[in-house]
Amino acid sequence: METRRRAAPATGRPHTLADDLRSRGRLSVRTGCEQGVCGSCTVLLNDETVRSCLVLAAQADGARVAAVEDLAGDPLLEHLRRTFWSTRAFQCGFCASGHLIESYSLLREDPAPTEDQVRRRLAGNLCRCTGYDSIVHAVLRAAGTLPATAREEARHE
């Protein structure tokens, strides 16, 4: 999705990329802490993960922005979704979209990460339900069972 700036609502606070995306129906972009600490608002901005609550909407004008909804049908994201679901990686799911985007970005960069790499990459995404092990194991399982088509696409991007 390419962003075009919208007029900010008169709320008395800066209009963030998270606000803009949610107003466009990207409800996977959660607003948890609104300070960039929890990771629930993580999206891809020009193929880099960012906390959308820390980016002003105007800063993303004309950029490529992707939330979970924008990656629907992508083989790697769909593989991650299925693996997270089949392993019951989440309980409440509030943090799921941030973890999916961060995991997607990681596996695009390195289709075979180590457990330490996964833990470091996901360290900025808070989950109050699982204790993280189930999420880390789901990412490692997804990496280990990555379909050849998704692995090749990850290497060429």
Side-chain angles (χ1 to χ4, degrees):
M1 169 175 115
E2 188 169 315
T3 60
R4 292 282 178 234
R5 193 172 353 165
R6 289 183 174 182
T11 61
R13 67 181 183 97
H15 189 64
T16 66
L17 180 57
D19 297 329
D20 188 64
L21 291 170
R22 289 186 61 78
S23 75
R24 295 170 187 253
R26 301 308 191 271
L27 300 181
S28 69
V29 178
R30 304 296 205 295
T31 50
C33 68
E34 297 188 63
Q35 297 175 7
V37 176
C38 74
S40 64
C41 67
T42 303
V43 298
L44 293 173
L45 178 66
N46 293 328
D47 298 322
E48 298 291 327
T49 57
V50 298
R51 303 299 190 254
S52 62
C53 70
L54 296 179
V55 178
L56 294 177
Q59 292 174 295
D61 193 27
R64 286 184 326 277
V65 179
V68 169
E69 295 89 340
D70 301 302
L71 298 172
D74 179 283
L76 177 56
L77 184 76
E78 294 306 321
H79 180 67
L80 277 165
R81 275 190 203 197
R82 283 191 303 274
T83 305
F84 277 55
W85 181 82
S86 68
T87 60
R88 294 184 176 98
F90 300 115
Q91 289 179 21
C92 79
F94 189 83
C95 66
S97 56
H99 278 98
L100 279 168
I101 291 288
E102 202 67 64
S103 300
Y104 174 85
S105 178
L106 172 63
L107 293 183
R108 282 183 61 192
E109 294 168 16
D110 183 357
T114 65
E115 181 174 344
D116 187 55
Q117 288 171 313
V118 173
R119 287 187 183 281
R120 286 178 191 218
R121 187 63 174 264
L122 298 181
N125 292 67
L126 301 181
C127 177
R128 296 182 178 177
C129 301
T130 67
Y132 301 100
D133 283 342
S134 61
I135 298 169
V136 170
H137 292 138
V139 175
L140 291 169
R141 182 172 179 183
T145 59
L146 200 58
T149 55
R151 185 174 285 120
E152 285 303 310
E153 286 178 17
R155 286 188 182 139
H156 294 303
E157 291 185 9

